Amino acid sequence: MPPRRRQSVTIRHVAADAGVSLQTVSRVINKEPNVRPEMMERVQASIAKLGYVPSIAAQRMGGSRSYLIVALNDRERTIADWRNRQGTDWVDQMMLGGMLTCAEHGYRLIVELVDTHSDHIERELLGAIASLQPDGVILTPPHSENPLITQLLEAHGISFARIGSLKPGGGFALSIDDEGAARMATDHLIALGHRRIGFIAGPDDYELSGWRVEGWRKSMTAAGLSCEGQLAKGDFSFASGRIAAGTLLDSATAPTAIIASNDQMALATLELARERGLAIPDDLSLVSFDDTPIVRFVHPPLTAVVQPIADVTARAVELIIAEQAGRPTPTGPVITPAELAIRASTAPLR
Amino acid sequence: MPPRRRQSVTIRHVAADAGVSLQTVSRVINKEPNVRPEMMERVQASIAKLGYVPSIAAQRMGGSRSYLIVALNDRERTIADWRNRQGTDWVDQMMLGGMLTCAEHGYRLIVELVDTHSDHIERELLGAIASLQPDGVILTPPHSENPLITQLLEAHGISFARIGSLKPGGGFALSIDDEGAARMATDHLIALGHRRIGFIAGPDDYELSGWRVEGWRKSMTAAGLSCEGQLAKGDFSFASGRIAAGTLLDSATAPTAIIASNDQMALATLELARERGLAIPDDLSLVSFDDTPIVRFVHPPLTAVVQPIADVTARAVELIIAEQAGRPTPTGPVITPAELAIRASTAPLR
DNA sequence: GTGAAAGCGCTAACAC
DNA sequence: GTGTTAGCGCTTTCAC
């Protein structure tokens, strides 16, 4: 059993060293007003000299911030992604944006997994809140629009951000510009001369599915092109993508280009096209709506919508911290534009 | 500014509800002895009824465990991996093994990034220790053998595990069975009829490079095969892999199969072989020593050594928690066997 | 502006 | 076995 550990340098040491009261040190640490610049400098010198770092446990105990932000992810999906090792890097991108931004402000990001479908989701969340007492929570789909969760968070007065949600309601709504991204992808294909551009949509229970279809539709309409018979619906799974792609390609007005709403459906389309002897991009251009690592390593590498997950998460952290600090925060949803990575799967219409 | 939050249900509420003292509740929470079963049940009933969850901040303040374990990763490499989006899932696999195991024991894993080469690595680490006061730290290469780090941890009496290290010293040493894995890969190729099996080694400053070469060498020798001219050295980079592969393939006794010490060098070998018109696996069998997602999506998918990072990390967490609990822990290094995923890049010698 | 007091929720030490 | 007491390191009052 290791020895009982205590903080080696506490606020008390700093106060003694600087010859001020604990309170003054506390004020300096928290950048509060009512401290003369010279006092502040003296205290900061002592802090640096002693290598003092406040204990977040003690800070939290004192009734202030915990400097902890929880990123809530769906347990089942996340673990499945980790186990499958298909290169899905959603969590990594969240950490990239979230952890680094947290670090800049002296916060820490803790990833938590919670069962969405569980009936004890409430208990799980309450447990995390009680034990960690985070200053903020970042919700990711499918938690982002779970009223059980958002209400709980509101009741506890915890700042939270909802990623992938545009609905008004408690917390900050943040999203990628799905509609804009779909337009961008469609415009790219139109610019390449394509007239019949098929779209494989995601399931209806994801709000973003609709946004993506909408973007495609608008872009098509603006260019005077018909969407008739060019829309097929999948559920984000590989299998559903194959079926949807088949439906589109079997049509009398088969598309010369297809946009799939996610990587799995895009890969399914790629596979089906290959089986049917359709060369990509010569016979069929293909755009994926996820830029997961896989889509760059298939042949040909897929043109894809790049989802700026890291940026969105970074923004979410900033909003939560700004709210903590009492700084003003935007009222409406925060939309982050996506980019299109043009690769070898799209080419001019022959 | 959000309202001042306090714990809604504290140990006090539970004590009152169960009609016992705080201390008894504390004993029940911490599974300490000296509590009558009936008391225990009564307390647990109250805990369940009130939905009580102890605050880790308060637990830590009381001078006990923080229930936090820090996973220390190299900042530069980790961020680069995240940004490159090449499908490297080291951190994910660590979380898979580490987070889940932590959760089982009521602990939490916090990922921290620290600069290896920085001269303020000591300050960074001290800061993390002071603010988080973790019960344990998991070191990953290249931190695992950094004496600055291990000494600091020992001085602070913090349990730690060194992943990818077999050297004796403070903390627990855990590693994948690199030598065994190399033997497994070599034996696989020998069984396929190959006699000239090339090996592209990693840089000397990684201990595991040597272990891998050793495994290959032993396996070759045991089969009565010559290693002469079949060893080339790289530095884990793609570029170095190309050069090493070129050296092997240019030789008069060019190998019919190559084992590369990591995925980048394997991919480089794949590329070079393709350029030279060597079909894989028909003209050349290829084995990678990493099973990162990419190697399954190239053509052909590579036979690869699967590194059980998740298992090793889980084991590391268990050891740290066992030590915290005063339970006995192994003295020597903990070796976890690797597996070989056989895919399309290896075939019988023609 | 600064300091002194009280208390956050919990556990260690000791008494009963 | 169980309860009591005294703090952990910090922040909040509220005096000065």
Side-chain angles (χ1 to χ4, degrees), chain A:
Chain A
M1 189 103 67
R4 190 173 190 284
R5 272 176 292 106
R6 13 152 78 82
Q7 191 92 332
S8 42
V9 181
T10 73
I11 196 172
R12 219 179 300 272
H13 298 104
V14 177
D17 185 85
V20 298
S21 74
L22 300 185
Q23 194 42 40
T24 303
V25 179
S26 177
R27 288 196 178 100
V28 171
I29 296 168
N30 298 298
K31 301 188 178 64
E32 279 171 24
N34 295 349
V35 181
R36 257 180 307 172
E38 50 194 278
M39 285 258 95
M40 201 162 115
E41 271 180 39
R42 213 165 71 196
V43 171
Q44 272 163 341
S46 294
I47 290 177
K49 188 176 101 189
L50 302 174
Y52 167 71
V53 179
S55 148
I56 69 165
Q59 291 188 123
R60 171 58 232 170
M61 282 305 297
S64 89
R65 268 149 266 164
S66 66
Y67 294 99
L68 258 27
I69 292 180
V70 163
L72 221 59
N73 284 77
D74 184 47
R75 170 175 290 130
E76 213 174 314
R77 201 196 68 183
T78 305
I79 293 180
D81 281 347
W82 284 342
R83 282 204 216 284
N84 292 342
R85 304 195 66 183
Q86 301 280 301
T88 310
D89 61 351
W90 165 276
V91 174
D92 301 73
Q93 294 302 306
M94 279 200 76
M95 297 188 91
L96 175 57
M99 280 189 49
L100 299 190
T101 309
C102 274
E104 281 171 23
H105 300 267
Y107 279 72
R108 241 128 196 149
L109 191 75
I110 298 192
V111 175
E112 282 273 322
L113 305 182
V114 168
D115 277 327
T116 321
H117 305 301
S118 160
D119 46 336
H120 31 256
I121 183 172
E122 200 164 346
R123 201 161 46 73
E124 283 196 359
L125 220 202
L126 276 171
I129 290 175
S131 85
L132 255 18
Q133 295 176 250
D135 292 336
V137 173
I138 297 178
L139 265 25
T140 59
H143 297 316
S144 305
E145 311 214 314
N146 186 328
L148 229 60
I149 297 181
T150 55
Q151 280 162 24
L152 207 83
L153 259 14
E154 285 193 286
H156 281 254
I158 298 177
S159 303
F160 64 99
R162 294 177 277 118
I163 289 186
S165 177
L166 291 181
K167 290 217 181 97
F172 305 107
L174 297 113
S175 182
I176 283 149
D177 182 12
D178 283 284
E179 189 187 306
R183 271 192 275 115
M184 203 184 304
T186 313
D187 288 346
H188 165 63
L189 292 168
I190 292 173
L192 288 174
H194 294 276
R195 314 289 296 166
R196 294 200 306 275
I197 301 170
F199 195 93
I200 302 179
D204 289 332
D205 48 328
Y206 279 70
E207 258 198 290
L208 54 81
S209 295
W211 302 332
R212 292 175 183 182
V213 171
E214 205 45 45
W216 163 74
R217 207 187 290 277
K218 281 187 183 161
S219 199
M220 292 291 275
T221 308
L225 301 177
S226 166
C227 297
E228 191 66 31
Q230 301 294 339
L231 179 66
K233 199 157 272 171
D235 63 7
F236 284 154
S237 72
F238 190 91
S240 77
R242 268 191 74 102
I243 296 171
T247 308
L248 290 177
L249 294 175
D250 284 339
S251 148
T253 56
T256 60
I258 289 181
I259 302 173
S261 281
N262 79 330
D263 61 350
Q264 288 302 313
M265 300 197 296
L267 293 174
T269 305
L270 181 68
E271 184 183 276
L272 191 73
R274 183 171 293 151
E275 285 172 18
R276 294 190 174 196
L278 288 172
I280 287 184
D282 293 339
D283 302 320
L284 180 71
S285 280
L286 180 59
V287 178
S288 166
F289 224 100
D290 279 336
D291 184 42
T292 48
I294 321 180
V295 306
R296 308 175 204 193
F297 292 101
V298 293
H299 294 283
L302 306 186
T303 291
V305 170
V306 183
Q307 313 233 31
I309 312 289
D311 294 347
V312 173
T313 310
R315 198 82 188 81
V317 167
E318 280 169 2
L319 290 176
I320 287 172
I321 294 177
E323 188 167 73
Q324 290 300 304
R327 276 180 271 130
T329 50
T331 49
V334 176
I335 315 275
T336 305
E339 279 174 30
L340 188 68
I342 296 174
R343 303 208 181 87
S345 70
T346 49
L349 178 68
R350 282 197 308 189

Side-chain angles (χ1 to χ4, degrees), chain B residues 21 24 27 34-36 39 61-62:
Chain B
S21 73
T24 303
R27 288 195 179 102
N34 294 347
V35 181
R36 256 181 307 170
M39 285 259 94
M61 282 307 297

